[in-house]
């Protein structure tokens, strides 16, 4: 077997209407993400496993989902391939909750093929979330991509260049000033290094609630960062990014016709959907719903708290 041949393959049978690209979009930072991207209809995702590095390739064909994996961790990542693709996303009870609001009910129907992925990995998403704190999306991506390339380690498989996310131990051992040229000030660099030092403990979290408690106990990590992490690592459909600059306005506008809203108003409007509050926010984002703009336009997903 050559480096360009998959070490293992598996076939899954997604529900009718399933949309791969929309479901895994949350796992990519941009079309140029060095660790994950969609190319020619295939989603490529580089990761680290207890068995070693791995690359997962997912593509839809004839109503089936074909998963191919490369590298020493191929079998490990294949065991989670359906979760990563969002096929373990549990929508139990959501249709009944969605029916309480005509817009949410419509979006649930129109985007029924959109599923929430679950990676089972905390630190790779935490790395990105810390870089997203209190800056624009462009600045966050610059820091993230520069950091990945600083620790540059090629991922297995035929898609190149594709890089592995940095090892937590290597990040923890890196002086804060190394991150400064990437646009990362000492506060975020120190937060990242503290989190990296505790990565093994974070990865052992029992569930999203436990992970949230452990994450928010780390100085520099608050509710926004924790929600961004558990939504992806645990596929938590109820995780709401309290502290985001845009989401409260979007929720207030979509659910109540109010052009502006704060965190308290957002939480109140989402309460009828408890258990799936994060899913409602995801549907609003997928539909491209935004509150009216007043004044200079702020970059999307910017100026989040921590």
């Amino acid at each position: 077997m050559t480096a360009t041949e998959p070490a293992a393959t598996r076939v899954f049978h997604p529900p009718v209407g399933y949309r791969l690209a929309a479901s895994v979009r949350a796992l990519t930072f941009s079309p140029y993400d060095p660790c994950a991207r969609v190319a020619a209809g295939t989603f490529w995702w580089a990761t680290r496993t207890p068995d070693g590095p791995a690359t997962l390739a997912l593509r839809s064909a004839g109503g089936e989902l074909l998963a191919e994996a490369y590298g020493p961790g191929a079998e490990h990542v294949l065991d989670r391939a359906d979760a990563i693709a969002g096929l373990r996303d549990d929508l139990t009870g959501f249709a009944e909750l969605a029916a309480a609001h005509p817009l949410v009910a419509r979006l649930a129907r129109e985007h029924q093929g959109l599923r929430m992925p679950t990676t089972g990995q905390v630190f790779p998403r935490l790395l990105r979330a810390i870089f997203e704190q209190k800056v624009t999306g462009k600045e966050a991506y610059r820091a993230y991509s520069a950091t990945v390339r600083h620790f540059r380690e090629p991922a297995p498989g035929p898609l190149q260049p594709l890089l592995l996310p940095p090892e937590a131990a290597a990040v923890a051992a890196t002086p804060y000033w190394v991150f400064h040229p990437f646009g990362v000030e000492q506060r975020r660099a120190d937060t990242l290094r503290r989190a990296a030092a505790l990565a093994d403990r974070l990865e052992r979290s029992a569930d999203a609630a436990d992970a949230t408690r452990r994450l928010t106990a780390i100085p520099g990590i608050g509710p926004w960062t924790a929600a961004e992490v558990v939504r992806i690592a645990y596929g938590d459909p109820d995780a709401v990014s309290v502290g985001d600059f845009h989401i409260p306005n979007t929720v207030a506008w979509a659910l109540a016709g109010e052009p502006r809203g704060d965190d308290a108003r957002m939480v109140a409007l989402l309460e009828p959907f408890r258990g799936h509050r994060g899913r409602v926010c995801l549907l609003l984002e997928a539909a491209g719903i935004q509150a009216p703009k007043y004044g200079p336009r702020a970059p999307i997903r910017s100026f989040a708290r921590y």
Side-chain angles (χ1 to χ4, degrees), residues 246-259:
H246 295 280
I247 296 176
N249 295 336
T250 298
V251 171
W253 176 247
L255 301 187
E258 301 166 3

Side-chain angles (χ1 to χ4, degrees), residues 7 27 35 46 61 78 102 113 129 218 226 292 303:
L27 303 183
C35 301
L78 272 185
I218 300 173
F303 307 118

